[in-house]
Amino acid sequence: MSTTTATALGFIYPDHAAEDDYPLAERLLREAGTDVTLRVEHIYGTDLHAVPELLDLGSPDKLAHGASLLASSHPAAVIWACTSGSFVYGTGGAPGQVEGLAEAAGTAASSTSYAFVHAAQSLGITKVAVAASYPDDVARLFVEFLAAAGIEVVRMSSAGIDTAAEVGTLAPDQVLDLATSNDHADAQALLIPDTAMHTIGGLPRLESTLGKPVLTANQVTIWEALRLAGITAVQPALGTLFQERPHHDDVRS
């Protein structure tokens, strides 16, 4: 009798806020026939949405420590599951951050910021609205990061929430209100860029209300890990990004 072992995917998650999105996504993926284990390990720092704190949170030493915590599961890919702690490094520093993580982890690696870029590319999306939880100065760095990848932000809003812990307390109706209040008619998709926000359970409602794809931080982070591991997963409960469509040949690594 043969047995199969689930493919492990590793996520380095900062502090605690919405990490329970990952076991929920794992259950949904397994229900759809994708045999994966989503392993989450935590690193810690000040959870302020402020540039100096975010630079420290995504530092090489912290990410190497996160990679060491994941090593025993031999993940097929490791993702730095933090949007602001990756885009804050800008296009000059974000590639090196990922390269350093890949070296520390000994496997393919990426970050949530790059996951957003690759997910948009896979859907052929070039114009987006951004509904950010961050203060304005931090949110604008995400706009710059997207622009450098050829993604135009036609509307950007910032909720001005100072800490990840507070973002993690937002209820589904509050997340929906954030999305509907900050969409734009010219946007092909709405992006919600904070892994501290619970969104996995609300994706169908978000997309049906807005009538367009919604890309959220934990969703694209999981998709990016699957992509790097060479796994194509179809699970409509996880949004348009996980619906069956042609292979992602247009994604530029």
Side-chain angles (χ1 to χ4, degrees):
M1 180 177 176
S2 64
T3 60
T4 59
T5 302
T7 300
L9 302 174
F11 304 90
I12 302 172
Y13 192 93
D15 294 288
H16 296 274
E19 63 267 32
D20 46 339
D21 266 4
Y22 290 82
L24 173 57
E26 179 183 301
R27 178 175 62 79
L28 291 170
L29 289 167
R30 285 175 173 267
E31 287 175 358
T34 302
D35 193 16
V36 292
T37 298
L38 307 185
R39 169 114 180 250
V40 178
E41 292 290 351
H42 297 267
I43 59 172
Y44 297 94
T46 303
D47 76 338
L48 279 175
H49 288 144
V51 172
E53 286 78 8
L54 292 168
L55 289 170
D56 176 69
L57 195 60
S59 65
D61 287 348
K62 280 190 166 61
L63 295 188
H65 175 61
S68 72
L69 297 174
L70 290 165
S72 63
S73 62
H74 304 290
V78 170
I79 312 293
W80 169 218
C82 182
T83 326
S84 55
S86 46
F87 69 66
V88 74
Y89 277 79
T91 54
Q97 183 186 57
V98 168
E99 290 167 7
L101 176 56
E103 183 176 355
T107 191
S110 188
S111 69
T112 303
S113 292
Y114 280 116
F116 271 109
V117 169
H118 296 154
Q121 289 173 347
S122 80
L123 293 173
I125 288 167
T126 57
K127 291 185 178 183
V128 303
V130 171
S133 56
Y134 320 120
D136 184 77
D137 62 326
V138 174
R140 291 190 181 280
L141 295 177
F142 185 50
V143 173
E144 293 174 9
F145 191 90
L146 294 173
I151 300 169
E152 179 185 355
V153 177
V154 296
R155 175 186 172 94
M156 189 279 286
S157 62
S158 55
I161 301 175
D162 288 329
T163 68
E166 185 179 352
V167 173
T169 68
L170 295 177
D173 284 348
Q174 291 174 296
V175 174
L176 181 64
D177 182 62
L178 178 71
T180 56
S181 300
N182 297 295
D183 190 20
H184 190 283
D186 293 338
Q188 297 166 289
L190 177 77
L191 276 53
I192 305 178
D194 197 338
T195 57
M197 191 182 301
H198 292 91
T199 60
I200 292 296
L203 284 161
R205 184 185 180 200
L206 285 166
E207 291 198 334
S208 64
T209 301
L210 271 64
K212 65 180 62 174
V214 175
L215 300 178
T216 73
N218 289 323
Q219 172 211 39
V220 300
T221 297
I222 293 162
W223 177 88
E224 180 82 334
L226 289 161
R227 184 184 74 84
L228 289 178
I231 299 170
T232 299
V234 177
Q235 172 49 283
L238 292 174
T240 300
L241 185 61
F242 282 83
Q243 291 180 4
E244 190 167 8
R245 61 183 190 280
H247 291 296
H248 319 301
D249 297 332
D250 53 344
V251 173
R252 299 183 291 278
S253 298

